[in-house]
Structures are given as structure tokens and as C-alpha cells.
């Protein structure tokens, strides 16, 4: 359920939504050991969680301060957990109800600032700049957590030139992703005693 409001001749728009998702037989990946009490000898299987749910709030703000400029901000608060005990035959005991689902940060935030304008002398062309900031909150790496993933911020930048009225829609652009070159952890696993860490893509142009 949500609401959308607009003010100042549609130059300011605010949306907010409350949500509740109810899952049955949600699938997760589990490590099954070949030797008891030796998870490093295991292999992965897909198992069904009996029940889980996610609840939270999503909200966004869009502002058009002057011609060609735009600011958009979107935020999500979320709580995603199991509703029943899971993996009850494991030697470590069952995963209790209320355990957070892997890869589900409680807080996420994204912001985009952009500006575009007609080029002088080449009035059929537009030039523009866009900056994007994303904050990804931390979350457990597994249903039986060995660590956390996320918990980092990235900034992307893009400069572009385009001819929107042309039949072929030509565009020239230069983009730099992960401008601050953060080493955010996007995946974590322990395979046969070796810890695998996957990081976000480094600065790329």
C-alpha cells in the first residue's frame, strides 16, 4: 500500500510504499558435508525453507529544481526473516525462526543527480552529466552466517552527448563506475577450508 504526492507544478514528487511479502517453500543453497562435522568436505544443494516473510518501507523523492536538472533519491528499509525452523537434521542444530535471509540488507539508499542542456552551435545535440551514489547495507552471507557482505558505498559518473531528434539516435558517452574504487564484499563462502571473497568491480572507465 502506498501514496504518491506531487507539488510545485510537478517539480517535486514523493512516493512511499509499505510492503509485506509472504513466501512458502523459499529456496536457499545449503552445504551438505560428506563427512560428519566437516563442512569443508561438503557440496551444495537447493533446499526449501518452510516459510519466510519480508516487510518494510520503500520511499523515493524526485526534484526538478530548474530546466534540465533532476535529483532522485530512493531508500528502502527491509526485514526479511524465516518463519519456521530450518535444516533441522544438521549436526549444528536447526536454523531458528526469525533468522535473517542471506543477502537482504536492512537499509539501501540510492541517489542520482543529473543535468542536460542543448549544446551551443549544435542545437540538435544534448550534453549531460549524471552522478549516481548507491549505499548497500550489510547483510549475512549465508543462512548460517560465516560473515557479512555489503556495507559499502559506490559512486558512478557519466558524461554523454546525444541527438534525441535524429532517426538513428546517436550517442557519445564516457562513464566511470566505482569512482572511489571501493573494495566492497559482494559474496563470501568457505569451500574446502578456503575462504572465497568476491569484491565489487573496481574502478572502470
Amino acid at each position: 500500500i502506498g501514496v504518491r504526492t506531487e507539488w510545485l507544478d510537478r517539480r517535486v514528487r514523493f512516493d512511499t510504499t509499505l510492503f509485506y511479502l509472504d513466501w512458502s517453500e523459499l529456496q536457499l543453497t545449503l552445504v551438505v558435508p560428506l563427512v560428519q562435522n566437516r563442512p569443508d568436505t561438503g557440496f551444495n544443494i537447493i533446499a526449501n525453507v518452510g516459510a519466510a516473510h519480508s516487510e518494510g518501507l520503500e520511499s523515493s523523492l524526485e526534484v526538478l529544481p530548474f530546466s534540465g536538472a533532476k535529483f532522485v533519491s530512493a531508500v528502502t528499509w527491509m526485514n526479511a526473516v524465516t518463519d519456521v525452523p530450518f535444516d533441522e537434521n544438521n549436526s549444528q542444530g536447526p536454523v531458528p525462526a526469525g533468522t535473517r535471509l542471506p543477502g537482504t540488507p536492512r537499509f539501501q539508499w540510492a541517489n542520482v543527480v543529473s543535468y542536460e542542456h542543448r549544446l551551443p552551435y549544435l542545437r540538435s545535440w544534448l550534453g549531460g552529466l549524471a552522478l549516481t551514489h548507491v549505499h548497500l547495507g550489510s547483510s549475512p552471507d549465508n543462512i548460517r552466517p560465516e560473515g557479512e557482505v555489503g556495507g559499502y558505498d559506490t559512486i558512478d559518473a557519466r558524461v554523454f552527448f546525444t541527438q534525441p531528434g535524429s532517426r538513428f539516435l546517436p550517442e557519445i558517452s564516457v562513464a566511470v563506475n566505482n569512482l572511489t574504487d571501493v573494495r566492497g564484499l559482494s559474496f563470501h563462502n568457505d569451500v574446502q577450508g578456503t575462504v572465497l571473497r568476491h569484491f565489487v568491480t573496481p574502478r572502470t572507465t
Side-chain angles (χ1 to χ4, degrees):
I1 184 171
V3 62
R4 166 173 289 180
T5 59
E6 294 178 337
W7 303 293
L8 303 177
D9 196 23
R10 297 187 176 181
R11 290 186 174 274
V12 178
R13 174 181 293 169
F14 178 73
D15 300 342
T16 188
T17 303
L18 295 170
F19 65 87
Y20 182 88
L21 303 175
D22 185 22
W23 285 297
S24 60
E25 303 301 335
L26 176 68
Q27 293 184 329
L28 291 177
T29 301
L30 289 182
V31 177
V32 177
L34 295 173
V35 180
Q36 190 173 6
N37 299 324
R38 287 286 306 279
D40 58 309
T41 65
F43 58 94
N44 292 335
I45 66 167
I46 302 296
N48 288 322
V49 178
H53 78 273
S54 174
E55 58 191 354
L57 179 145
E58 294 178 341
S59 189
S60 67
L61 173 68
E62 179 182 290
V63 181
L64 308 175
F66 50 87
S67 179
K70 180 186 290 188
F71 170 70
V72 179
S73 183
V75 64
T76 301
W77 292 272
M78 178 175 62
N79 184 42
V81 296
T82 59
D83 289 335
V84 295
F86 173 62
D87 196 22
E88 296 175 317
N89 296 325
N90 194 293
S91 60
Q92 302 176 39
V95 175
T99 299
R100 284 179 63 192
L101 297 177
T104 56
R106 295 188 189 276
F107 178 72
Q108 299 179 73
W109 187 26
N111 301 283
V112 180
V113 178
S114 63
Y115 176 72
E116 62 182 32
H117 195 272
R118 294 284 179 184
L119 296 181
Y121 309 112
L122 299 172
R123 303 296 296 174
S124 63
W125 283 78
L126 284 175
L129 168 68
L131 292 173
T132 302
H133 161 259
V134 174
H135 170 78
L136 186 65
S138 60
S139 60
D141 61 351
N142 209 326
I143 193 69
R144 296 181 184 273
E146 299 172 357
E148 289 189 336
V149 295
Y152 57 83
D153 294 75
T154 59
I155 298 176
D156 302 334
R158 179 172 173 261
V159 177
F160 61 89
F161 302 94
T162 182
Q163 193 178 27
S166 169
R167 177 181 177 184
F168 300 104
L169 299 177
E171 180 176 319
I172 303 169
S173 64
V174 177
V176 181
N177 297 325
N178 195 359
L179 195 64
T180 55
D181 203 27
V182 301
R183 292 294 187 267
L185 191 63
S186 62
F187 176 78
H188 172 271
N189 200 4
D190 190 338
V191 178
Q192 297 182 356
T194 301
V195 177
L196 302 179
R197 291 184 174 90
H198 297 188
F199 296 93
V200 296
T201 305
R203 184 189 298 118
T204 306
T205 302

